[in-house]
Amino acid sequence: NVCDVAIANSYYMPIMLSRDDQRAWGQSARVVFPDQDGKGSYVLTSGVALTKADRAVDAATKFVEFLVSNYGQTAITNTTYEFPVIGGVALPEPLMALGKEEAGVSAATFKSNFVPLGKIEDQRAKVTAILDEINFDQK
């Protein structure tokens, strides 16, 4: 199969390049961070929360604190190749190489367009209607 353009999470590229069975795919592609002359690329953010139902609040709180610590973010970034959610975390080389062919992108530093979660939630009903209309789940 041949594909000219794909929309994917950027962390898949370093993963492909690190695997013998996928390296050729990664070497045949490049990452582009869209809209660098406009608002910037949309960045999908990960989140964590504690619920009222949580019985181990102290342990859960410590886990969340670990996740957003420099040590935790370094471990996540070096394992999953996701961008850290806090500043000051050194990026591994495979992540630093993303977008290197693109003007204005250097060391995986690019213009990003942060969309608050509340604005995303405001669009949920519209998106759900579109997914139902096109029978996305093929029910």
Side-chain angles (χ1 to χ4, degrees), residues 87-114:
V89 175
L91 300 179
E93 182 56 38
L95 202 52
M96 298 261 302
L98 296 178
K100 65 183 176 190
E101 302 91 352
E102 188 174 355
V105 176
S106 174
T109 301
F110 58 94
K111 186 176 182 183
S112 61
N113 181 9
F114 176 76

Side-chain angles (χ1 to χ4, degrees), residues 17-39:
L17 292 170
S18 71
R19 294 184 48 156
D20 291 338
D21 63 330
Q22 296 180 8
R23 188 168 294 115
W25 301 338
Q27 290 172 337
S28 70
R30 66 186 178 101
V31 171
V32 174
F33 295 101
D35 203 19
Q36 292 302 288
D37 293 329
K39 291 182 178 181

Side-chain angles (χ1 to χ4, degrees), residues 2-133:
V2 175
C3 177
D4 291 328
V5 177
I7 298 173
N9 293 321
S10 60
Y11 57 79
Y12 287 118
M13 181 62 83
I15 291 170
M16 281 193 300
L17 292 170
S18 71
R19 294 184 48 156
D20 291 338
D21 63 330
Q22 296 180 8
R23 188 168 294 115
W25 301 338
Q27 290 172 337
S28 70
R30 66 186 178 101
V31 171
V32 174
F33 295 101
D35 203 19
Q36 292 302 288
D37 293 329
K39 291 182 178 181
S41 294
Y42 172 72
V43 176
L44 179 64
T45 55
S46 297
V48 62
L50 301 177
T51 68
K52 291 179 183 179
D54 198 322
R55 288 181 243 149
V57 174
D58 289 339
T61 300
K62 286 179 183 176
F63 180 62
V64 171
E65 289 170 348
F66 163 75
L67 290 175
V68 296
S69 71
N70 191 288
Y71 182 82
Q73 286 292 293
T74 299
I76 292 168
T77 299
N78 282 291
T79 304
T80 66
Y81 299 114
E82 292 183 55
F83 286 96
V85 296
I86 62 172
V89 175
L91 300 179
E93 182 56 38
L95 202 52
M96 298 261 302
L98 296 178
K100 65 183 176 190
E101 302 91 352
E102 188 174 355
V105 176
S106 174
T109 301
F110 58 94
K111 186 176 182 183
S112 61
N113 181 9
F114 176 76
V115 179
L117 290 176
K119 284 193 167 202
I120 294 170
E121 173 62 24
D122 291 345
Q123 301 301 314
R124 184 174 186 207
K126 291 178 186 176
V127 171
T128 301
I130 292 169
L131 294 174
D132 289 344
E133 181 181 325

